[in-house]
Structure formats: C-alpha cells, structure tokens
Amino acid sequence: MMNGNVTSLLTGMLFCLASLLNGQNEIQTAFSMIGGSNTAIEQEQLREEGSKFEIANRVYKRLIAAKGDRRFTPPAFYIASGEKFLAFMEADGLSIGLEEKAFDLCMEMGEDALAAVLGHELSHFYEKHGFDFNILSEFQDEKTGEAVSGVRTRLGNDAEANAFANDLLNSIDRSWSRLVKLSNETESDYLGGFLAYSAGYSVDKLPEMYGKLYEGYGLKDTIFGYGTLQERQELAQATQRKLDNFIDLFEVANLLISVERFADARVLYKYILREYQGREIYNNLGVLTVMEALSCLGDRKKDFRLPLELDLSFGTGTKGIEAYPPGFFEKLLEEALYYFQSAASLDADYAPAYLNQAIVYYLREDYTRATFYADVEARDRAEKFPETFPNTGHDADVLLALITIKQGDKAKGISLLEKASANSNVAAINLKIAKGEELPSSSSDGPEWSISDLEQDDILVKSQSINKSKDLRIFDDDKLRVWNEKAGLTDAKIYRFKPRFELNLPDVYFMITNPGYDELNFDDLGVGSTAEAIREEYGEPNKIISAVNGEVWAYDETILIFDAEQKVRRYALWLAD
C-alpha cells in the first residue's frame, strides 16, 4: 500500500506532466480519415492510373487550385487498394491516398462527397500538422523524460509506486494523444468542408456522407482520436452554417462594390480574410483598396479607366480629396501593394497579382516598375496559363498603352489602345478618352423589377421581421442582418448592412434572387435575358464591373449579374436608408 508521501508525489507528477504536455501538438505517423497504423498504410498498393484515379485526381487538382497556395509542392495523389483507412496522408507528407472502396461509397453521393474526403486530407497538409508534431514532439519527449527521471529517482525502489507511475504515464500519454489527434482531425473535418465549398462543391450532405462511410466500412460510432459519428455529423452541420455565413458576407461585399461602398466592402473582405487566406481574397481586397484610394482623388488621376478597377463606370461622382486626411491616398496604395504581394506569395504564378502591382506603380508614377510588372511578370504568367488568366495579357496591353501616353508618346499609346480594343472593353473606353471623344451617357432610370411580387419599396417592410432574421457582427461595430427562408422568403434573401455609427453613413439594403429563380418581370425581362436586350430597353447602366465569369451592371434600383454568355444569372434590388 502506498503511503501519503508517495501518493502526493504521484499527484504532483500528474500535474507536472499535464503542464508539460498542455498546448503541445501531437499527430500519428500518418493521418487517415478513420485511423490505423502506419505499417498497414505502407502495405497499401498505390497507383496513378485507371478511371477511378482520373475522376478523383480531377477533384484533387480542383481542390488544390481553389486553395491557391503554391508555396509548397502539394502531395502526390494515388488510388489505394486497401479497405482500412478510407483516405490517408503518408507520414512524410509527400503523398495522399484514397481507397477504392471509399471512392465507390463517395461516388454514390457524387463528387461533392469525394471533395470533402480529399479536402480533409489536404487540410492536414496545408495546416502542417505533421511538421508541427515533429518539432513539438521532440521537445515534449525531452521534457517529459526529464520529469519522469526525476520522479523515478524520488520513488526509489517502491515497486508498487513505480507500477502505478507507469500506468499513470501511459494513461496520460494516451489521453493526450487522443485530445491532440481529435483537435487535428476535427480541424481537418471543418477546413476540408470549407475547401470543398471554395472549389465549388456542395457540402450540405456532409452529415449523410459520414453516416454512409461509417456504415460502409463497418465502423463503430467511436474511434480513437476522432469525434464520434454524431459529433462529426454535428460538426458538418456547424460547418454548413459557417459556410452559409461566409457566403452571405462574400455576397454582400460584392454587392457593396457595385454601389460604390468600397470602404464597407473592404471591412467585409478583411473579416473574411481571418477565416480564409486565399489568393483571390488578398487580390480582391487589394483591388478594393485601390478603388477607395481613387475615390479620394475626385477627377484627379482618374482620366483613364484602369484595368485593375474592373470598372467601366461612366462619369460617376466621387468624394473630393478634402474629405480625406493628408497622405491617405498613398497609405491606401501601400496597403493594396501588401495585399497583392501576399496573393503572389501564396501562388507565384497568380498573374492578376502582378498586373495589379503594376497598376499601383502606375498610380505612383513609377512607370519603370509598372512596365516591368505588366510586360514581364504579369504577361509571362498569363501566357503560361492562358486558360486560367485569359484576360490578364489583354489588360497588361491596356496598362502599357496608358503608360506610353503618360510618358509623352500619345500617338503610339493610341495605336496600342486601338489594337487592344479588339479584346478589351476597358481599352475601347480609354481609346475614346485619349481621342477626346464623348463617352456613352448613363441612363437615369433602369429596371423596376420585382422578386416574387416583392418590389424595392417592400424591402423595408419585409425586413421588419427581426425575430426571423440572422445577425452577424463584424469586428464588433459593423453589422449584417440576413432574412431568408425563415422569414418566409422562398426566392430571395434580404441583407441589411449597418456600418459603424461614427461613419454617419446610411444602412444599405439588398434583396437578391436565390440561384435558380427564373420568373420574368412585367417587361418580359429577367433571369436569362441578354445584355443586349437589357441595354436596348434601359440604356447604359450607371456602373459596369468586370467579373471573372461575367459582369455586374448597377442601375439606380437594380443590380444585374451576368454570366460568361452575357445573360442575366441573378439580380438584386437595393436601397440606402
């Protein structure tokens, strides 16, 4: 029987070891979707061929492209022969495998499930779980060894106490291993779903996916180092809720751009950046920052339309320089440059980041650097990946023409714009400006459409259902309120963005059609209508913003979102109050 001093010593050892282990990360030699030993993984037969590999590898590459982080070479992908792990990342982090059985089960639900599983394994890689473990476990083993050695010295030859100590140490080690593994696997479940969404896959069936995979592999509800099946399904539902919030933030940020609330849109993008550090987020935040910088200048330095602005606006008014403190313009340009450089650091081949850096240097009148970034850095990457960046080379041509004019050779600059006009609306607008020709005038009116019989005036009335709304707080000051199907809206969502009080700006309301809404309006126009038909009926919009897969047109009351075929895909009604 152990005496009180020994018991006190062992209790003290427990807290000593717990404090040493607290906060340390641990991970098994290999990461798998459902657990297993590294030795068994090594016995899997891996291959890079066959129809299953081609389908899964296509999804895998799409996930990597969506992540946009090329600082490290992603793991090679294989189809595996076994039926033990579902999917796994090898201990060295150099390869990821998906078992054929897991592929078959996933494909019963479609590629969305496949994307979630592969996204889980890729998240282990991008979050550097293995690297963290290798560094921290060395420190943990050393410190734990020192503590154990000291305890054994004090215990002396007490056999019973030593046996109890061994059991206690094993229990602590196993408990801590489970906690850290649970943390890593839970994080990969969430981030894997998020990565799948960012690549364009649906994640609304993730709870069903876990149930099917557990049943297909004959798994118990509880596996060492993982949450229970119910916990993983609940996490998938929580992931969906977070993604819904992310979609709302992203959608409102882009709608705010169309009504020239650039500072508000930047707030939302910065908030998004805390959750998801993608190259496109950094790049778009940089674009917004330059837009806000240009709004400081009024008509100064806005003689040409820059390809960065993604904007073909026709003479819209902006605040004067007097509304901003001295040096604010340059400060914003410096901030934008940081965002573009961050995008390029994530993906050295991301051509838009280099073009946008060139535009910052253009605005600084550093034409030497602007020429280098546009004509060399951006163009080389656009030519290397023409399908990914089809417009970047054309936009570089526009900027080089503007630089030529700014450097005094107007005739050559006009000639360059004439050549570029065949591929760029921005070039066509700038060509008119360079020649001193009149630009198309904006239309003072526009569509007065409705969504399921709800018109612009109905937005405020419908948004009074506060108890049926969802509230998101951004950085404690700015607020976003969302009304959806819970408020009886079946074909649309209503958003209200409320900026911080000290800005003294009105709230902005948007009511936007849900994807798939296709009812036509009284004028027989709406979703599916062509840009030509809209322009013929309502004239030029107040603002046109170029997007990756289309354009956005802003009228007085209505925002139209076009697809790549120049057809209305969705639309929104808006007002400021």
Side-chain angles (χ1 to χ4, degrees), residues 17-71:
L17 290 175
S19 64
L20 284 171
L21 295 175
N22 186 36
Q24 307 302 314
N25 289 322
E26 182 183 20
I27 201 161
Q28 290 185 337
T29 319
F31 294 92
S32 57
M33 188 76 176
I34 57 175
S37 70
N38 188 50
T39 302
I41 286 179
E42 290 175 350
Q43 296 172 354
E44 297 252 5
Q45 295 181 1
L46 309 179
R47 67 176 189 274
E48 297 178 275
E49 59 184 8
S51 59
K52 293 180 180 179
F53 170 81
E54 291 177 0
I55 294 171
N57 193 44
R58 184 181 68 247
V59 174
Y60 186 73
K61 289 182 176 179
R62 185 168 161 183
L63 292 169
I64 291 172
K67 183 65 178 177
D69 187 344
R70 299 191 185 184
R71 292 172 295 178

Tab-separated table of all heavy atoms in Angstrom, residues 17-71:
chain	number	residue	atom	x	y	z
A	17	LEU	N	3.328	16.626	-15.418
A	17	LEU	CA	3.290	16.129	-16.789
A	17	LEU	C	2.178	16.794	-17.593
A	17	LEU	O	2.337	17.105	-18.768
A	17	LEU	CB	3.091	14.616	-16.784
A	17	LEU	CG	4.291	13.799	-16.273
A	17	LEU	CD1	3.928	12.325	-16.212
A	17	LEU	CD2	5.502	14.011	-17.152
A	18	ALA	N	1.037	17.021	-16.922
A	18	ALA	CA	-0.067	17.671	-17.627
A	18	ALA	C	0.341	19.064	-18.087
A	18	ALA	O	0.034	19.489	-19.193
A	18	ALA	CB	-1.297	17.757	-16.729
A	19	SER	N	1.076	19.789	-17.235
A	19	SER	CA	1.507	21.143	-17.604
A	19	SER	C	2.544	21.097	-18.704
A	19	SER	O	2.600	21.974	-19.569
A	19	SER	CB	2.060	21.871	-16.380
A	19	SER	OG	3.228	21.225	-15.903
A	20	LEU	N	3.406	20.064	-18.688
A	20	LEU	CA	4.406	19.941	-19.745
A	20	LEU	C	3.753	19.632	-21.086
A	20	LEU	O	4.168	20.109	-22.132
A	20	LEU	CB	5.406	18.829	-19.398
A	20	LEU	CG	6.454	19.156	-18.334
A	20	LEU	CD1	7.208	17.887	-17.944
A	20	LEU	CD2	7.418	20.211	-18.836
A	21	LEU	N	2.702	18.799	-21.038
A	21	LEU	CA	2.054	18.385	-22.269
A	21	LEU	C	1.044	19.399	-22.775
A	21	LEU	O	0.715	19.426	-23.951
A	21	LEU	CB	1.339	17.043	-22.053
A	21	LEU	CG	2.249	15.842	-21.740
A	21	LEU	CD1	1.393	14.624	-21.420
A	21	LEU	CD2	3.180	15.546	-22.890
A	22	ASN	N	0.562	20.243	-21.873
A	22	ASN	CA	-0.501	21.186	-22.240
A	22	ASN	C	-0.036	22.113	-23.363
A	22	ASN	O	1.002	22.738	-23.295
A	22	ASN	CB	-0.900	22.030	-21.036
A	22	ASN	CG	-2.092	22.914	-21.351
A	22	ASN	OD1	-2.980	22.506	-22.093
A	22	ASN	ND2	-2.106	24.103	-20.796
A	23	GLY	N	-0.858	22.201	-24.414
A	23	GLY	CA	-0.546	23.097	-25.518
A	23	GLY	C	0.341	22.481	-26.583
A	23	GLY	O	0.571	23.079	-27.625
A	24	GLN	N	0.866	21.264	-26.367
A	24	GLN	CA	1.718	20.646	-27.381
A	24	GLN	C	0.841	19.947	-28.409
A	24	GLN	O	-0.207	19.392	-28.099
A	24	GLN	CB	2.668	19.630	-26.738
A	24	GLN	CG	3.479	20.196	-25.589
A	24	GLN	CD	4.302	21.380	-26.039
A	24	GLN	OE1	4.944	21.325	-27.071
A	24	GLN	NE2	4.266	22.441	-25.291
A	25	ASN	N	1.296	19.929	-29.665
A	25	ASN	CA	0.577	19.246	-30.726
A	25	ASN	C	1.203	17.880	-30.976
A	25	ASN	O	2.414	17.739	-30.978
A	25	ASN	CB	0.642	20.053	-32.030
A	25	ASN	CG	-0.191	21.299	-31.929
A	25	ASN	OD1	-1.256	21.277	-31.333
A	25	ASN	ND2	0.295	22.391	-32.479
A	26	GLU	N	0.379	16.881	-31.166
A	26	GLU	CA	0.881	15.554	-31.483
A	26	GLU	C	0.065	14.990	-32.620
A	26	GLU	O	-1.097	15.315	-32.784
A	26	GLU	CB	0.762	14.636	-30.262
A	26	GLU	CG	1.312	13.252	-30.534
A	26	GLU	CD	1.112	12.337	-29.346
A	26	GLU	OE1	0.252	12.653	-28.514
A	26	GLU	OE2	1.792	11.323	-29.280
A	27	ILE	N	0.687	14.173	-33.406
A	27	ILE	CA	-0.032	13.567	-34.517
A	27	ILE	C	0.544	12.195	-34.794
A	27	ILE	O	1.725	11.945	-34.535
A	27	ILE	CB	0.075	14.462	-35.763
A	27	ILE	CG1	-1.049	14.137	-36.723
A	27	ILE	CG2	1.396	14.310	-36.464
A	27	ILE	CD1	-1.302	15.216	-37.718
A	28	GLN	N	-0.236	11.269	-35.267
A	28	GLN	CA	0.284	9.949	-35.571
A	28	GLN	C	1.218	10.024	-36.764
A	28	GLN	O	1.244	10.996	-37.496
A	28	GLN	CB	-0.868	8.989	-35.876
A	28	GLN	CG	-1.680	8.654	-34.629
A	28	GLN	CD	-2.720	7.608	-34.930
A	28	GLN	OE1	-3.124	7.448	-36.059
A	28	GLN	NE2	-3.146	6.897	-33.908
A	29	THR	N	1.963	8.944	-36.959
A	29	THR	CA	2.937	8.935	-38.037
A	29	THR	C	2.281	9.205	-39.376
A	29	THR	O	2.871	9.765	-40.270
A	29	THR	CB	3.651	7.567	-38.080
A	29	THR	OG1	3.914	7.161	-36.736
A	29	THR	CG2	4.952	7.679	-38.826
A	30	ALA	N	1.033	8.779	-39.527
A	30	ALA	CA	0.299	9.068	-40.750
A	30	ALA	C	-1.110	9.487	-40.388
A	30	ALA	O	-1.657	9.063	-39.381
A	30	ALA	CB	0.258	7.824	-41.640
A	31	PHE	N	-1.719	10.342	-41.227
A	31	PHE	CA	-3.085	10.816	-41.000
A	31	PHE	C	-4.028	10.007	-41.859
A	31	PHE	O	-3.827	9.884	-43.064
A	31	PHE	CB	-3.215	12.290	-41.390
A	31	PHE	CG	-2.421	13.203	-40.520
A	31	PHE	CD1	-1.132	13.547	-40.861
A	31	PHE	CD2	-2.957	13.722	-39.361
A	31	PHE	CE1	-0.394	14.387	-40.067
A	31	PHE	CE2	-2.236	14.564	-38.558
A	31	PHE	CZ	-0.947	14.902	-38.912
A	32	SER	N	-5.061	9.465	-41.284
A	32	SER	CA	-6.054	8.745	-42.060
A	32	SER	C	-7.434	9.238	-41.667
A	32	SER	O	-7.633	9.783	-40.596
A	32	SER	CB	-5.948	7.228	-41.820
A	32	SER	OG	-6.075	6.934	-40.442
A	33	MET	N	-8.386	9.022	-42.573
A	33	MET	CA	-9.739	9.519	-42.353
A	33	MET	C	-10.420	8.793	-41.197
A	33	MET	O	-11.236	9.347	-40.500
A	33	MET	CB	-10.542	9.342	-43.643
A	33	MET	CG	-11.900	9.985	-43.632
A	33	MET	SD	-11.810	11.773	-43.835
A	33	MET	CE	-13.549	12.197	-43.906
A	34	ILE	N	-10.049	7.514	-40.966
A	34	ILE	CA	-10.695	6.736	-39.910
A	34	ILE	C	-9.699	6.018	-39.016
A	34	ILE	O	-10.070	5.135	-38.261
A	34	ILE	CB	-11.673	5.706	-40.511
A	34	ILE	CG1	-10.937	4.776	-41.500
A	34	ILE	CG2	-12.829	6.399	-41.182
A	34	ILE	CD1	-11.801	3.661	-42.030
A	35	GLY	N	-8.427	6.362	-39.082
A	35	GLY	CA	-7.438	5.797	-38.179
A	35	GLY	C	-6.792	4.544	-38.727
A	35	GLY	O	-7.209	3.968	-39.723
A	36	GLY	N	-5.715	4.109	-38.049
A	36	GLY	CA	-4.987	2.926	-38.484
A	36	GLY	C	-3.506	3.117	-38.288
A	36	GLY	O	-3.046	4.213	-38.000
A	37	SER	N	-2.737	2.063	-38.471
A	37	SER	CA	-1.299	2.143	-38.231
A	37	SER	C	-0.551	2.502	-39.490
A	37	SER	O	-0.997	2.247	-40.603
A	37	SER	CB	-0.784	0.794	-37.706
A	37	SER	OG	-0.832	-0.170	-38.726
A	38	ASN	N	0.639	3.090	-39.296
A	38	ASN	CA	1.464	3.465	-40.433
A	38	ASN	C	1.941	2.236	-41.191
A	38	ASN	O	2.073	2.244	-42.407
A	38	ASN	CB	2.656	4.276	-39.943
A	38	ASN	CG	3.446	4.867	-41.089
A	38	ASN	OD1	2.868	5.478	-41.962
A	38	ASN	ND2	4.748	4.683	-41.078
A	39	THR	N	2.215	1.125	-40.469
A	39	THR	CA	2.685	-0.093	-41.116
A	39	THR	C	1.655	-0.604	-42.110
A	39	THR	O	1.986	-0.997	-43.233
A	39	THR	CB	2.960	-1.186	-40.068
A	39	THR	OG1	3.929	-0.696	-39.146
A	39	THR	CG2	3.476	-2.451	-40.733
A	40	ALA	N	0.392	-0.561	-41.701
A	40	ALA	CA	-0.672	-1.028	-42.595
A	40	ALA	C	-0.788	-0.139	-43.824
A	40	ALA	O	-1.036	-0.622	-44.930
A	40	ALA	CB	-2.000	-1.080	-41.838
A	41	ILE	N	-0.605	1.164	-43.640
A	41	ILE	CA	-0.676	2.076	-44.772
A	41	ILE	C	0.423	1.755	-45.773
A	41	ILE	O	0.224	1.792	-46.997
A	41	ILE	CB	-0.568	3.537	-44.295
A	41	ILE	CG1	-1.882	3.934	-43.620
A	41	ILE	CG2	-0.278	4.474	-45.450
A	41	ILE	CD1	-1.892	5.353	-43.096
A	42	GLU	N	1.616	1.408	-45.267
A	42	GLU	CA	2.720	1.092	-46.153
A	42	GLU	C	2.428	-0.141	-47.004
A	42	GLU	O	3.027	-0.336	-48.064
A	42	GLU	CB	3.988	0.859	-45.318
A	42	GLU	CG	4.523	2.134	-44.672
A	42	GLU	CD	5.708	1.861	-43.756
A	42	GLU	OE1	5.980	0.665	-43.497
A	42	GLU	OE2	6.344	2.831	-43.317
A	43	GLN	N	1.500	-1.000	-46.545
A	43	GLN	CA	1.167	-2.206	-47.282
A	43	GLN	C	0.134	-1.966	-48.378
A	43	GLN	O	-0.138	-2.854	-49.182
A	43	GLN	CB	0.659	-3.278	-46.302
A	43	GLN	CG	1.717	-3.723	-45.301
A	43	GLN	CD	1.166	-4.636	-44.226
A	43	GLN	OE1	-0.043	-4.857	-44.168
A	43	GLN	NE2	2.041	-5.155	-43.376
A	44	GLU	N	-0.443	-0.773	-48.414
A	44	GLU	CA	-1.422	-0.453	-49.452
A	44	GLU	C	-0.724	-0.386	-50.819
A	44	GLU	O	0.389	0.123	-50.938
A	44	GLU	CB	-2.085	0.890	-49.155
A	44	GLU	CG	-2.886	0.902	-47.867
A	44	GLU	CD	-4.376	0.942	-48.115
A	44	GLU	OE1	-4.790	0.869	-49.282
A	44	GLU	OE2	-5.127	1.042	-47.132
A	45	GLN	N	-1.379	-0.897	-51.845
A	45	GLN	CA	-0.858	-0.785	-53.203
A	45	GLN	C	-1.385	0.507	-53.813
A	45	GLN	O	-2.598	0.694	-53.951
A	45	GLN	CB	-1.294	-1.991	-54.033
A	45	GLN	CG	-0.692	-3.304	-53.543
A	45	GLN	CD	-1.116	-4.491	-54.390
A	45	GLN	OE1	-1.851	-4.326	-55.367
A	45	GLN	NE2	-0.657	-5.673	-54.028
A	46	LEU	N	-0.468	1.406	-54.171
A	46	LEU	CA	-0.836	2.722	-54.683
A	46	LEU	C	-0.640	2.757	-56.199
A	46	LEU	O	0.335	2.214	-56.720
A	46	LEU	CB	0.021	3.800	-54.019
A	46	LEU	CG	0.078	3.781	-52.485
A	46	LEU	CD1	0.982	4.890	-51.975
A	46	LEU	CD2	-1.311	3.910	-51.902
A	47	ARG	N	-1.549	3.414	-56.901
A	47	ARG	CA	-1.392	3.514	-58.350
A	47	ARG	C	-1.904	4.869	-58.851
A	47	ARG	O	-2.711	5.539	-58.193
A	47	ARG	CB	-2.108	2.380	-59.058
A	47	ARG	CG	-3.614	2.393	-58.945
A	47	ARG	CD	-4.213	1.253	-59.780
A	47	ARG	NE	-5.650	1.367	-59.872
A	47	ARG	CZ	-6.497	0.889	-58.993
A	47	ARG	NH1	-6.051	0.262	-57.927
A	47	ARG	NH2	-7.798	1.031	-59.178
A	48	GLU	N	-1.447	5.251	-60.007
A	48	GLU	CA	-1.801	6.522	-60.641
A	48	GLU	C	-2.404	6.272	-62.014
A	48	GLU	O	-2.010	6.900	-63.000
A	48	GLU	CB	-0.565	7.410	-60.772
A	48	GLU	CG	0.074	7.818	-59.474
A	48	GLU	CD	1.304	8.656	-59.687
A	48	GLU	OE1	2.389	8.070	-59.889
A	48	GLU	OE2	1.208	9.904	-59.674
A	49	GLU	N	-3.370	5.393	-62.093
A	49	GLU	CA	-3.982	5.072	-63.377
A	49	GLU	C	-5.395	4.546	-63.144
A	49	GLU	O	-5.786	4.245	-62.016
A	49	GLU	CB	-3.146	4.029	-64.121
A	49	GLU	CG	-2.974	2.729	-63.341
A	49	GLU	CD	-2.069	1.738	-64.044
A	49	GLU	OE1	-1.468	2.128	-65.060
A	49	GLU	OE2	-1.966	0.587	-63.573
A	50	GLY	N	-6.129	4.460	-64.221
A	50	GLY	CA	-7.480	3.934	-64.153
A	50	GLY	C	-8.523	5.038	-64.097
A	50	GLY	O	-8.231	6.196	-63.774
A	51	SER	N	-9.769	4.693	-64.412
A	51	SER	CA	-10.842	5.681	-64.473
A	51	SER	C	-11.133	6.284	-63.103
A	51	SER	O	-11.434	7.477	-62.999
A	51	SER	CB	-12.113	5.033	-65.034
A	51	SER	OG	-12.520	3.935	-64.222
A	52	LYS	N	-11.039	5.475	-62.042
A	52	LYS	CA	-11.290	5.999	-60.700
A	52	LYS	C	-10.226	7.025	-60.321
A	52	LYS	O	-10.532	8.063	-59.721
A	52	LYS	CB	-11.327	4.865	-59.672
A	52	LYS	CG	-12.510	3.920	-59.863
A	52	LYS	CD	-12.522	2.812	-58.826
A	52	LYS	CE	-13.711	1.882	-59.053
A	52	LYS	NZ	-13.759	0.773	-58.071
A	53	PHE	N	-8.983	6.713	-60.666
A	53	PHE	CA	-7.914	7.670	-60.383
A	53	PHE	C	-8.154	8.972	-61.146
A	53	PHE	O	-7.979	10.066	-60.593
A	53	PHE	CB	-6.556	7.087	-60.774
A	53	PHE	CG	-5.439	8.102	-60.732
A	53	PHE	CD1	-4.835	8.440	-59.533
A	53	PHE	CD2	-5.030	8.745	-61.893
A	53	PHE	CE1	-3.826	9.405	-59.488
A	53	PHE	CE2	-4.019	9.695	-61.866
A	53	PHE	CZ	-3.419	10.028	-60.652
A	54	GLU	N	-8.535	8.880	-62.404
A	54	GLU	CA	-8.729	10.084	-63.220
A	54	GLU	C	-9.817	10.982	-62.629
A	54	GLU	O	-9.665	12.203	-62.566
A	54	GLU	CB	-9.082	9.684	-64.655
A	54	GLU	CG	-7.912	9.030	-65.402
A	54	GLU	CD	-8.307	8.578	-66.793
A	54	GLU	OE1	-9.499	8.788	-67.168
A	54	GLU	OE2	-7.453	8.018	-67.509
A	55	ILE	N	-10.931	10.385	-62.190
A	55	ILE	CA	-12.017	11.175	-61.612
A	55	ILE	C	-11.576	11.815	-60.298
A	55	ILE	O	-11.743	13.018	-60.077
A	55	ILE	CB	-13.262	10.297	-61.377
A	55	ILE	CG1	-13.834	9.825	-62.720
A	55	ILE	CG2	-14.324	11.056	-60.585
A	55	ILE	CD1	-14.929	8.787	-62.585
A	56	ALA	N	-10.996	10.999	-59.413
A	56	ALA	CA	-10.576	11.512	-58.108
A	56	ALA	C	-9.456	12.525	-58.238
A	56	ALA	O	-9.422	13.525	-57.516
A	56	ALA	CB	-10.133	10.352	-57.215
A	57	ASN	N	-8.537	12.291	-59.173
A	57	ASN	CA	-7.412	13.210	-59.362
A	57	ASN	C	-7.886	14.553	-59.899
A	57	ASN	O	-7.322	15.605	-59.558
A	57	ASN	CB	-6.398	12.592	-60.317
A	57	ASN	CG	-5.081	13.347	-60.316
A	57	ASN	OD1	-4.547	13.714	-59.272
A	57	ASN	ND2	-4.538	13.596	-61.497
A	58	ARG	N	-8.942	14.539	-60.720
A	58	ARG	CA	-9.507	15.793	-61.214
A	58	ARG	C	-10.073	16.611	-60.057
A	58	ARG	O	-9.857	17.827	-59.975
A	58	ARG	CB	-10.594	15.509	-62.249
A	58	ARG	CG	-11.167	16.785	-62.879
A	58	ARG	CD	-12.261	16.489	-63.880
A	58	ARG	NE	-13.463	15.956	-63.264
A	58	ARG	CZ	-13.927	14.732	-63.440
A	58	ARG	NH1	-13.283	13.879	-64.225
A	58	ARG	NH2	-15.044	14.340	-62.844
A	59	VAL	N	-10.779	15.937	-59.164
A	59	VAL	CA	-11.308	16.619	-57.978
A	59	VAL	C	-10.160	17.127	-57.107
A	59	VAL	O	-10.186	18.261	-56.608
A	59	VAL	CB	-12.216	15.667	-57.171
A	59	VAL	CG1	-12.661	16.315	-55.865
A	59	VAL	CG2	-13.436	15.272	-58.003
A	60	TYR	N	-9.155	16.303	-56.937
A	60	TYR	CA	-7.986	16.638	-56.109
A	60	TYR	C	-7.298	17.899	-56.638
A	60	TYR	O	-6.973	18.822	-55.874
A	60	TYR	CB	-7.038	15.450	-56.131
A	60	TYR	CG	-5.830	15.555	-55.221
A	60	TYR	CD1	-5.964	15.426	-53.840
A	60	TYR	CD2	-4.553	15.735	-55.737
A	60	TYR	CE1	-4.865	15.487	-53.007
A	60	TYR	CE2	-3.447	15.798	-54.916
A	60	TYR	CZ	-3.605	15.677	-53.550
A	60	TYR	OH	-2.518	15.747	-52.730
A	61	LYS	N	-7.083	17.954	-57.944
A	61	LYS	CA	-6.427	19.125	-58.548
A	61	LYS	C	-7.305	20.374	-58.421
A	61	LYS	O	-6.791	21.480	-58.242
A	61	LYS	CB	-6.102	18.855	-60.015
A	61	LYS	CG	-4.979	17.857	-60.210
A	61	LYS	CD	-4.669	17.658	-61.686
A	61	LYS	CE	-3.472	16.724	-61.874
A	61	LYS	NZ	-3.163	16.503	-63.313
A	62	ARG	N	-8.600	20.179	-58.520
A	62	ARG	CA	-9.515	21.319	-58.376
A	62	ARG	C	-9.454	21.889	-56.960
A	62	ARG	O	-9.500	23.118	-56.773
A	62	ARG	CB	-10.938	20.866	-58.711
A	62	ARG	CG	-11.980	21.968	-58.714
A	62	ARG	CD	-13.258	21.442	-59.334
A	62	ARG	NE	-14.416	22.251	-58.997
A	62	ARG	CZ	-15.652	21.968	-59.376
A	62	ARG	NH1	-15.883	20.889	-60.117
A	62	ARG	NH2	-16.658	22.740	-59.014
A	63	LEU	N	-9.319	21.025	-55.963
A	63	LEU	CA	-9.187	21.478	-54.581
A	63	LEU	C	-7.880	22.255	-54.390
A	63	LEU	O	-7.856	23.297	-53.728
A	63	LEU	CB	-9.230	20.286	-53.626
A	63	LEU	CG	-10.558	19.543	-53.506
A	63	LEU	CD1	-10.366	18.240	-52.740
A	63	LEU	CD2	-11.614	20.404	-52.833
A	64	ILE	N	-6.800	21.753	-54.956
A	64	ILE	CA	-5.507	22.426	-54.839
A	64	ILE	C	-5.559	23.790	-55.510
A	64	ILE	O	-5.053	24.786	-54.972
A	64	ILE	CB	-4.397	21.552	-55.461
A	64	ILE	CG1	-4.182	20.303	-54.603
A	64	ILE	CG2	-3.092	22.330	-55.607
A	64	ILE	CD1	-3.245	19.281	-55.227
A	65	ALA	N	-6.199	23.847	-56.675
A	65	ALA	CA	-6.320	25.136	-57.372
A	65	ALA	C	-7.146	26.118	-56.557
A	65	ALA	O	-6.836	27.307	-56.495
A	65	ALA	CB	-6.953	24.916	-58.752
A	66	ALA	N	-8.208	25.627	-55.911
A	66	ALA	CA	-9.055	26.502	-55.095
A	66	ALA	C	-8.293	27.031	-53.891
A	66	ALA	O	-8.468	28.191	-53.494
A	66	ALA	CB	-10.308	25.756	-54.643
A	67	LYS	N	-7.440	26.216	-53.311
A	67	LYS	CA	-6.639	26.668	-52.176
A	67	LYS	C	-5.703	27.783	-52.589
A	67	LYS	O	-5.496	28.760	-51.852
A	67	LYS	CB	-5.857	25.493	-51.593
A	67	LYS	CG	-5.032	25.843	-50.354
A	67	LYS	CD	-5.897	26.249	-49.187
A	67	LYS	CE	-5.088	26.548	-47.944
A	67	LYS	NZ	-5.920	27.001	-46.817
A	68	GLY	N	-5.127	27.663	-53.778
A	68	GLY	CA	-4.291	28.743	-54.311
A	68	GLY	C	-3.013	28.981	-53.538
A	68	GLY	O	-2.458	30.077	-53.595
A	69	ASP	N	-2.523	27.997	-52.818
A	69	ASP	CA	-1.299	28.146	-52.028
A	69	ASP	C	-0.220	27.266	-52.657
A	69	ASP	O	-0.206	26.048	-52.478
A	69	ASP	CB	-1.558	27.723	-50.579
A	69	ASP	CG	-0.374	28.025	-49.672
A	69	ASP	OD1	0.729	28.266	-50.198
A	69	ASP	OD2	-0.545	28.022	-48.442
A	70	ARG	N	0.690	27.903	-53.390
A	70	ARG	CA	1.727	27.144	-54.092
A	70	ARG	C	3.099	27.336	-53.466
A	70	ARG	O	4.117	27.151	-54.109
A	70	ARG	CB	1.769	27.549	-55.565
A	70	ARG	CG	0.475	27.276	-56.302
A	70	ARG	CD	0.628	27.425	-57.797
A	70	ARG	NE	-0.643	27.270	-58.492
A	70	ARG	CZ	-0.769	27.273	-59.817
A	70	ARG	NH1	0.295	27.437	-60.571
A	70	ARG	NH2	-1.955	27.141	-60.378
A	71	ARG	N	3.119	27.737	-52.196
A	71	ARG	CA	4.407	27.900	-51.534
A	71	ARG	C	5.110	26.563	-51.361
A	71	ARG	O	6.335	26.503	-51.299
A	71	ARG	CB	4.209	28.572	-50.168
A	71	ARG	CG	3.763	30.019	-50.247
A	71	ARG	CD	3.399	30.559	-48.877
A	71	ARG	NE	2.239	29.870	-48.325
A	71	ARG	CZ	1.737	30.129	-47.117
A	71	ARG	NH1	2.311	31.033	-46.351
A	71	ARG	NH2	0.675	29.488	-46.678
